[in-house]
Amino acid sequence: MAQPSYRRCRKSGRSRGLMVSLLRLVCAAVAMLAMSTLARAEEGFPFGTEMTLEALPQAGSKRIPNIEIGDNGEVVLELWCKGGKGQFSVAGNTVIFVPGQIQDRSCPPAKAQADDELVAALGSVETWKRQGDGLLLIGPKPLRFRVNGN
C-alpha cells in the first residue's frame, strides 16, 4: 500500500508544479496587459485632465493659463485674466478647438490681448502629440501644456 500512496504524492507534486507554472504564466499575462493599457492611456489624448500652459507669468502676476479637459472634450479655460469654456474634438492625431463664451473680467489691455491671442492659438491648432506628462498642440503657434500634479 505504501507504493500507491507514494505514486499519488509524486503525481500530485507534478500537478502542483504545473499549476504553479500556469498560475505564474497567467499573472505575467495579466501584468503585461495592465502595462500595455497604461501605456495606451499615457499615449492618448488627455481627456479628464487639468493642464497648465508652459509659459512664464505676466508681469505683476503669478497666474499661468490652465485648461481642464473633460471626459467628452469640454474645456474650462483660466487664462491670464479672462476665463471661459470651449470644446476639443479629437480624431486620431487631429484636433479641433472651438472656443465658447469667454468672460471679460475687466482685464488690463496687455493681459486681455494675451488672452485673446492664446484663444486664437488654441483655435488654430491642427494636431496634437503626447510628450510624457505633457501635451503639444501643433498649429501656427505650438502650445505645450503639462499635466497638473497633485
mmCIF file of all heavy atoms in Angstrom, residues 7 13 19-20 22-23 27 35-36 39 49 53 60 63-64 66 68 75 80 85 89 95 109 120 122-123 127 131 150:
data_model
loop_
_atom_site.group_PDB
_atom_site.id
_atom_site.type_symbol
_atom_site.label_atom_id
_atom_site.label_comp_id
_atom_site.label_asym_id
_atom_site.label_seq_id
_atom_site.Cartn_x
_atom_site.Cartn_y
_atom_site.Cartn_z
ATOM 1 N N ARG A 7 3.136 7.044 -5.162
ATOM 2 C CA ARG A 7 2.873 7.438 -6.546
ATOM 3 C C ARG A 7 1.886 8.600 -6.605
ATOM 4 O O ARG A 7 2.044 9.508 -7.393
ATOM 5 C CB ARG A 7 2.334 6.255 -7.349
ATOM 6 C CG ARG A 7 3.382 5.276 -7.703
ATOM 7 C CD ARG A 7 2.828 4.206 -8.586
ATOM 8 N NE ARG A 7 3.851 3.214 -8.825
ATOM 9 C CZ ARG A 7 3.623 1.959 -9.083
ATOM 10 N NH1 ARG A 7 2.377 1.507 -9.137
ATOM 11 N NH2 ARG A 7 4.607 1.125 -9.288
ATOM 12 N N GLY A 13 2.572 16.092 -6.829
ATOM 13 C CA GLY A 13 3.662 17.072 -6.848
ATOM 14 C C GLY A 13 3.878 17.638 -8.233
ATOM 15 O O GLY A 13 4.085 18.822 -8.415
ATOM 16 N N MET A 19 0.522 23.494 -11.973
ATOM 17 C CA MET A 19 -0.441 24.545 -11.605
ATOM 18 C C MET A 19 0.272 25.838 -11.216
ATOM 19 O O MET A 19 -0.155 26.918 -11.599
ATOM 20 C CB MET A 19 -1.334 24.070 -10.443
ATOM 21 C CG MET A 19 -2.306 22.973 -10.844
ATOM 22 S SD MET A 19 -3.443 23.510 -12.134
ATOM 23 C CE MET A 19 -4.498 24.552 -11.193
ATOM 24 N N VAL A 20 1.369 25.720 -10.479
ATOM 25 C CA VAL A 20 2.140 26.904 -10.099
ATOM 26 C C VAL A 20 2.700 27.595 -11.344
ATOM 27 O O VAL A 20 2.619 28.806 -11.491
ATOM 28 C CB VAL A 20 3.263 26.535 -9.094
ATOM 29 C CG1 VAL A 20 4.240 27.688 -8.925
ATOM 30 C CG2 VAL A 20 2.667 26.128 -7.760
ATOM 31 N N LEU A 22 1.491 27.422 -14.385
ATOM 32 C CA LEU A 22 0.358 28.002 -15.099
ATOM 33 C C LEU A 22 -0.105 29.290 -14.428
ATOM 34 O O LEU A 22 -0.384 30.286 -15.100
ATOM 35 C CB LEU A 22 -0.786 26.989 -15.163
ATOM 36 C CG LEU A 22 -2.009 27.391 -15.970
ATOM 37 C CD1 LEU A 22 -1.612 27.678 -17.418
ATOM 38 C CD2 LEU A 22 -3.065 26.301 -15.924
ATOM 39 N N LEU A 23 -0.150 29.302 -13.107
ATOM 40 C CA LEU A 23 -0.546 30.493 -12.366
ATOM 41 C C LEU A 23 0.443 31.633 -12.610
ATOM 42 O O LEU A 23 0.047 32.775 -12.820
ATOM 43 C CB LEU A 23 -0.631 30.174 -10.873
ATOM 44 C CG LEU A 23 -1.105 31.309 -9.970
ATOM 45 C CD1 LEU A 23 -2.487 31.778 -10.382
ATOM 46 C CD2 LEU A 23 -1.114 30.853 -8.519
ATOM 47 N N CYS A 27 -0.449 35.246 -14.319
ATOM 48 C CA CYS A 27 -0.101 36.513 -13.645
ATOM 49 C C CYS A 27 0.764 37.392 -14.541
ATOM 50 O O CYS A 27 0.556 38.596 -14.618
ATOM 51 C CB CYS A 27 0.610 36.235 -12.322
ATOM 52 S SG CYS A 27 -0.497 35.588 -11.059
ATOM 53 N N MET A 35 0.070 46.763 -18.126
ATOM 54 C CA MET A 35 1.097 47.722 -18.535
ATOM 55 C C MET A 35 0.802 48.277 -19.917
ATOM 56 O O MET A 35 0.979 49.463 -20.165
ATOM 57 C CB MET A 35 2.483 47.079 -18.496
ATOM 58 C CG MET A 35 2.963 46.851 -17.082
ATOM 59 S SD MET A 35 4.606 46.130 -16.849
ATOM 60 C CE MET A 35 5.193 45.660 -18.400
ATOM 61 N N SER A 36 0.330 47.452 -20.852
ATOM 62 C CA SER A 36 0.038 47.956 -22.196
ATOM 63 C C SER A 36 -1.164 48.889 -22.168
ATOM 64 O O SER A 36 -1.209 49.873 -22.890
ATOM 65 C CB SER A 36 -0.172 46.811 -23.179
ATOM 66 O OG SER A 36 -1.381 46.147 -22.935
ATOM 67 N N ALA A 39 0.147 52.170 -20.853
ATOM 68 C CA ALA A 39 0.933 52.849 -21.888
ATOM 69 C C ALA A 39 0.013 53.498 -22.920
ATOM 70 O O ALA A 39 0.247 54.627 -23.343
ATOM 71 C CB ALA A 39 1.875 51.868 -22.576
ATOM 72 N N THR A 49 -8.370 65.643 -17.719
ATOM 73 C CA THR A 49 -7.103 66.110 -17.157
ATOM 74 C C THR A 49 -7.083 67.636 -17.026
ATOM 75 O O THR A 49 -7.638 68.333 -17.855
ATOM 76 C CB THR A 49 -5.938 65.694 -18.081
ATOM 77 O OG1 THR A 49 -5.998 64.289 -18.299
ATOM 78 C CG2 THR A 49 -4.596 66.039 -17.485
ATOM 79 N N LEU A 53 -0.353 75.685 -19.086
ATOM 80 C CA LEU A 53 0.450 76.110 -20.225
ATOM 81 C C LEU A 53 1.900 76.295 -19.785
ATOM 82 O O LEU A 53 2.162 76.848 -18.715
ATOM 83 C CB LEU A 53 -0.090 77.438 -20.780
ATOM 84 C CG LEU A 53 0.637 78.045 -21.969
ATOM 85 C CD1 LEU A 53 0.464 77.176 -23.217
ATOM 86 C CD2 LEU A 53 0.117 79.455 -22.231
ATOM 87 N N GLY A 60 3.764 91.269 -12.868
ATOM 88 C CA GLY A 60 2.840 91.626 -11.801
ATOM 89 C C GLY A 60 1.852 90.533 -11.433
ATOM 90 O O GLY A 60 0.911 90.785 -10.692
ATOM 91 N N ARG A 63 -0.071 84.158 -12.073
ATOM 92 C CA ARG A 63 -1.039 83.314 -12.769
ATOM 93 C C ARG A 63 -0.519 82.857 -14.132
ATOM 94 O O ARG A 63 0.058 83.636 -14.884
ATOM 95 C CB ARG A 63 -2.333 84.092 -12.937
ATOM 96 C CG ARG A 63 -3.472 83.285 -13.420
ATOM 97 C CD ARG A 63 -4.734 84.092 -13.288
ATOM 98 N NE ARG A 63 -5.841 83.408 -13.889
ATOM 99 C CZ ARG A 63 -7.082 83.771 -13.762
ATOM 100 N NH1 ARG A 63 -7.375 84.843 -13.057
ATOM 101 N NH2 ARG A 63 -8.043 83.102 -14.342
ATOM 102 N N ILE A 64 -0.724 81.562 -14.427
ATOM 103 C CA ILE A 64 -0.371 80.979 -15.722
ATOM 104 C C ILE A 64 -1.626 80.274 -16.229
ATOM 105 O O ILE A 64 -2.304 79.580 -15.470
ATOM 106 C CB ILE A 64 0.809 79.989 -15.583
ATOM 107 C CG1 ILE A 64 2.044 80.727 -15.080
ATOM 108 C CG2 ILE A 64 1.094 79.313 -16.917
ATOM 109 C CD1 ILE A 64 3.222 79.826 -14.786
ATOM 110 N N ASN A 66 -4.403 77.794 -17.564
ATOM 111 C CA ASN A 66 -4.586 76.348 -17.491
ATOM 112 C C ASN A 66 -5.905 75.968 -18.138
ATOM 113 O O ASN A 66 -6.791 76.802 -18.295
ATOM 114 C CB ASN A 66 -4.463 75.833 -16.052
ATOM 115 C CG ASN A 66 -5.608 76.252 -15.172
ATOM 116 O OD1 ASN A 66 -6.747 75.885 -15.411
ATOM 117 N ND2 ASN A 66 -5.328 77.026 -14.136
ATOM 118 N N GLU A 68 -8.837 72.722 -18.226
ATOM 119 C CA GLU A 68 -9.364 71.490 -17.651
ATOM 120 C C GLU A 68 -10.177 70.824 -18.750
ATOM 121 O O GLU A 68 -11.167 71.371 -19.220
ATOM 122 C CB GLU A 68 -10.245 71.807 -16.445
ATOM 123 C CG GLU A 68 -10.715 70.591 -15.714
ATOM 124 C CD GLU A 68 -11.505 70.939 -14.460
ATOM 125 O OE1 GLU A 68 -11.262 71.992 -13.864
ATOM 126 O OE2 GLU A 68 -12.371 70.121 -14.095
ATOM 127 N N VAL A 75 -14.031 71.943 -22.284
ATOM 128 C CA VAL A 75 -12.857 72.609 -21.720
ATOM 129 C C VAL A 75 -13.274 73.803 -20.870
ATOM 130 O O VAL A 75 -14.146 74.577 -21.262
ATOM 131 C CB VAL A 75 -11.915 73.100 -22.851
ATOM 132 C CG1 VAL A 75 -10.728 73.855 -22.278
ATOM 133 C CG2 VAL A 75 -11.447 71.937 -23.692
ATOM 134 N N TRP A 80 -4.758 84.304 -18.518
ATOM 135 C CA TRP A 80 -4.014 85.228 -17.665
ATOM 136 C C TRP A 80 -4.974 86.116 -16.879
ATOM 137 O O TRP A 80 -4.713 86.467 -15.752
ATOM 138 C CB TRP A 80 -3.054 86.078 -18.497
ATOM 139 C CG TRP A 80 -1.768 85.365 -18.781
ATOM 140 C CD1 TRP A 80 -0.734 85.161 -17.912
ATOM 141 C CD2 TRP A 80 -1.374 84.739 -19.999
ATOM 142 N NE1 TRP A 80 0.263 84.440 -18.514
ATOM 143 C CE2 TRP A 80 -0.096 84.177 -19.808
ATOM 144 C CE3 TRP A 80 -1.974 84.596 -21.244
ATOM 145 C CZ2 TRP A 80 0.593 83.496 -20.789
ATOM 146 C CZ3 TRP A 80 -1.297 83.915 -22.227
ATOM 147 C CH2 TRP A 80 -0.022 83.375 -22.001
ATOM 148 N N LYS A 85 -15.027 78.857 -21.650
ATOM 149 C CA LYS A 85 -15.239 77.447 -21.976
ATOM 150 C C LYS A 85 -14.934 77.217 -23.444
ATOM 151 O O LYS A 85 -14.809 78.159 -24.222
ATOM 152 C CB LYS A 85 -16.674 77.041 -21.664
ATOM 153 C CG LYS A 85 -16.978 77.143 -20.187
ATOM 154 C CD LYS A 85 -18.324 76.598 -19.855
ATOM 155 C CE LYS A 85 -18.496 76.722 -18.339
ATOM 156 N NZ LYS A 85 -19.489 75.861 -17.816
ATOM 157 N N SER A 89 -12.405 68.536 -30.122
ATOM 158 C CA SER A 89 -12.851 67.376 -30.879
ATOM 159 C C SER A 89 -11.595 66.708 -31.407
ATOM 160 O O SER A 89 -10.763 67.363 -32.034
ATOM 161 C CB SER A 89 -13.752 67.782 -32.041
ATOM 162 O OG SER A 89 -14.939 68.356 -31.550
ATOM 163 N N VAL A 95 -6.884 67.478 -34.087
ATOM 164 C CA VAL A 95 -7.648 68.095 -33.006
ATOM 165 C C VAL A 95 -8.209 69.430 -33.486
ATOM 166 O O VAL A 95 -7.561 70.150 -34.256
ATOM 167 C CB VAL A 95 -6.779 68.279 -31.733
ATOM 168 C CG1 VAL A 95 -5.636 69.233 -31.963
ATOM 169 C CG2 VAL A 95 -7.614 68.746 -30.556
ATOM 170 N N PRO A 109 -5.346 95.947 -20.575
ATOM 171 C CA PRO A 109 -5.213 95.714 -22.020
ATOM 172 C C PRO A 109 -4.157 94.670 -22.401
ATOM 173 O O PRO A 109 -4.411 93.849 -23.277
ATOM 174 C CB PRO A 109 -4.847 97.095 -22.572
ATOM 175 C CG PRO A 109 -5.389 98.060 -21.576
ATOM 176 C CD PRO A 109 -5.303 97.368 -20.249
ATOM 177 N N ALA A 120 -7.000 82.423 -29.723
ATOM 178 C CA ALA A 120 -6.832 82.299 -31.181
ATOM 179 C C ALA A 120 -5.846 81.177 -31.513
ATOM 180 O O ALA A 120 -6.074 80.408 -32.461
ATOM 181 C CB ALA A 120 -6.352 83.622 -31.770
ATOM 182 N N LEU A 122 -5.211 78.504 -29.693
ATOM 183 C CA LEU A 122 -5.912 77.244 -29.436
ATOM 184 C C LEU A 122 -6.854 76.921 -30.595
ATOM 185 O O LEU A 122 -6.963 75.772 -31.021
ATOM 186 C CB LEU A 122 -6.707 77.314 -28.123
ATOM 187 C CG LEU A 122 -5.913 77.154 -26.838
ATOM 188 C CD1 LEU A 122 -6.745 77.577 -25.637
ATOM 189 C CD2 LEU A 122 -5.460 75.711 -26.682
ATOM 190 N N GLY A 123 -7.527 77.943 -31.111
ATOM 191 C CA GLY A 123 -8.463 77.743 -32.212
ATOM 192 C C GLY A 123 -7.796 77.372 -33.525
ATOM 193 O O GLY A 123 -8.464 76.895 -34.447
ATOM 194 N N THR A 127 -3.048 69.516 -34.957
ATOM 195 C CA THR A 127 -2.710 68.176 -34.494
ATOM 196 C C THR A 127 -2.209 68.247 -33.064
ATOM 197 O O THR A 127 -1.966 69.334 -32.531
ATOM 198 C CB THR A 127 -1.628 67.505 -35.381
ATOM 199 O OG1 THR A 127 -0.456 68.300 -35.369
ATOM 200 C CG2 THR A 127 -2.113 67.330 -36.815
ATOM 201 N N GLN A 131 3.758 64.032 -24.975
ATOM 202 C CA GLN A 131 5.187 64.008 -24.676
ATOM 203 C C GLN A 131 5.333 63.820 -23.177
ATOM 204 O O GLN A 131 5.343 64.796 -22.432
ATOM 205 C CB GLN A 131 5.868 65.295 -25.145
ATOM 206 C CG GLN A 131 5.830 65.476 -26.643
ATOM 207 C CD GLN A 131 6.495 66.766 -27.092
ATOM 208 O OE1 GLN A 131 6.453 67.778 -26.408
ATOM 209 N NE2 GLN A 131 7.097 66.724 -28.274
ATOM 210 N N ASN A 150 -0.681 66.550 -8.318
ATOM 211 C CA ASN A 150 -1.279 66.848 -7.008
ATOM 212 C C ASN A 150 -0.359 66.404 -5.912
ATOM 213 O O ASN A 150 0.264 65.477 -5.881
ATOM 214 C CB ASN A 150 -2.641 66.155 -6.855
ATOM 215 C CG ASN A 150 -3.677 66.782 -7.777
ATOM 216 O OD1 ASN A 150 -3.527 67.911 -8.203
ATOM 217 N ND2 ASN A 150 -4.709 66.009 -8.064
#
